[in-house]
Amino acid sequence: MLTILFDGIAYGMLLFVLACGLSITLGLMNFVNLAHGAFAMAGGYVTVILMNRYGVSFYLCLPAAFVATALIGAALEVTLYRRLYRASHLDQVLFSIGLVFMAIAAADYFMGGQQQLINLPDELRGRFDVFGIGIGRSRLFVIVICAILAVALQLALTRTRFGSQLRAAVDDGRVARGLGINVSTIFVLTFALGSGLAGLGGALGADMLGLDPNFPLKFLIYFMIVVTVGGTSSITGPFIAALLLGIADVAGKYYLPQAGAFIIYAVMILVLILRPNGLFTREGGR
């Protein structure tokens, strides 16, 4: 039971890192970016290419995946996304889902449709027991990295000048510009951060979740569930939601494998019945 709980926490932590970028763009920037999973896939493929073709260490691949996808995100924000900030949510959805299918086609063309595999370092393989709990080394590594990221991200958005400028730019861009805030720069940096976190999550999850060209569609619903259940007013909501859903999903697949993904959808429906605005969204807020 405790081993399942530990694996569920690891899965939930990974879901948080994968989904928190979407929480930032949707909750703070009010932009519906369904192509978020494509950035996660890109980070996974960066890791696969660097490790399998060039022999780069897994530990070096993680920052490389973050930087690469952050740069891609920044470039796309300047050239494409920026034009749709004031468009309707329907236009944003249609645009971003189109990018998803383009990314899937590109990944299939350049990398093939097969599942990609990576060999983790020896120290991240296998399990060890602590008080009878089987702890996977790779999952412990994911938990530690994701916990550090969650704390750092929360502090960056709530305790720094950048976080204050971002909230001001979103609330009233005209006033923010009048106060000397470069709104365009704030938005491109925020979008790059969200994209980079997605890429880092894709790199961390390449072994646990698997990686193929259908990754953006396969996990898109999970990203949306995390953001919907957690709410978009803070990072805390998606973090708690990701842990809850990760534990529920792993436990459900272990105890009720015939139910498939039904458990995670049931948890989502139950939470939204009790909290229609999400766990940590203010009533009447976005």
Side-chain angles (χ1 to χ4, degrees):
M1 176 62 185
L2 292 179
T3 300
I4 295 172
L5 177 63
F6 178 83
D7 288 346
I9 291 173
Y11 183 43
M13 287 281 202
L14 185 57
L15 281 180
F16 168 73
V17 173
L18 284 164
C20 66
L22 178 60
S23 177
I24 292 172
T25 55
L26 179 58
L28 296 179
M29 299 176 67
N30 198 28
F31 188 94
V32 184
N33 180 26
L34 297 188
H36 187 73
F39 294 102
M41 179 180 69
Y45 276 117
V46 167
T47 301
V48 168
I49 292 172
L50 290 179
M51 289 188 68
N52 295 347
R53 296 186 184 180
Y54 300 103
V56 178
S57 167
F58 175 71
Y59 303 110
L60 294 178
C61 289
L62 297 180
F66 176 86
V67 172
T69 50
L71 291 176
I72 294 172
L76 290 178
E77 195 277 342
V78 172
T79 57
L80 297 177
Y81 282 94
R82 185 173 296 181
R83 304 171 186 271
L84 290 170
Y85 282 152
R86 295 186 179 180
S88 68
H89 283 169
L90 177 60
D91 290 340
Q92 295 172 359
V93 166
L94 293 175
F95 166 76
S96 57
I97 202 67
L99 288 182
V100 169
F101 288 110
M102 292 175 64
I104 290 173
D108 184 65
Y109 179 80
F110 288 107
M111 299 299 296
Q114 71 276 11
Q115 189 85 5
Q116 300 291 330
L117 302 175
I118 62 172
N119 291 317
L120 293 176
D122 292 338
E123 60 270 19
L124 295 182
R125 298 178 186 175
R127 289 178 176 268
F128 61 94
D129 290 333
V130 176
F131 303 114
I133 305 173
I135 297 178
R137 290 185 172 88
S138 62
R139 284 163 171 74
L140 179 60
F141 178 76
V142 167
I143 289 176
V144 171
I145 295 298
C146 294
I148 293 172
L149 286 173
V151 173
L153 187 60
Q154 178 69 9
L155 292 176
L157 293 177
T158 61
R159 301 293 181 87
T160 66
R161 182 181 179 86
F162 173 79
S164 300
Q165 290 179 336
L166 173 59
R167 292 192 298 275
V170 172
D171 289 340
D172 196 322
R174 181 178 297 179
V175 173
R177 290 185 181 92
L179 293 173
I181 297 174
N182 191 326
V183 174
S184 297
T185 300
I186 292 294
F187 275 14
V188 72
L189 290 176
T190 303
F191 200 91
L193 173 63
S195 302
L197 288 171
L200 178 59
L204 285 169
D207 178 68
M208 186 186 304
L209 303 178
L211 182 66
D212 61 62
N214 290 317
F215 183 94
L217 286 179
K218 189 186 304 180
F219 290 98
L220 173 61
I221 187 64
Y222 284 84
F223 304 155
M224 297 300 294
I225 289 175
V226 168
V227 175
T228 302
V229 172
T232 58
S233 65
S234 69
I235 295 300
T236 305
F239 179 76
I240 300 299
L243 288 179
L244 176 65
L245 295 170
I247 294 171
D249 195 41
V250 170
K253 289 176 179 177
Y254 182 84
Y255 291 110
L256 296 170
Q258 66 276 14
F262 173 79
I263 300 298
I264 195 170
Y265 297 126
V267 172
M268 176 191 69
I269 292 171
L270 178 61
V271 171
L272 292 181
I273 288 174
L274 299 175
R275 297 280 299 176
N277 294 311
L279 291 174
F280 285 83
T281 300
R282 294 183 299 270
E283 296 292 335
R286 283 196 304 265

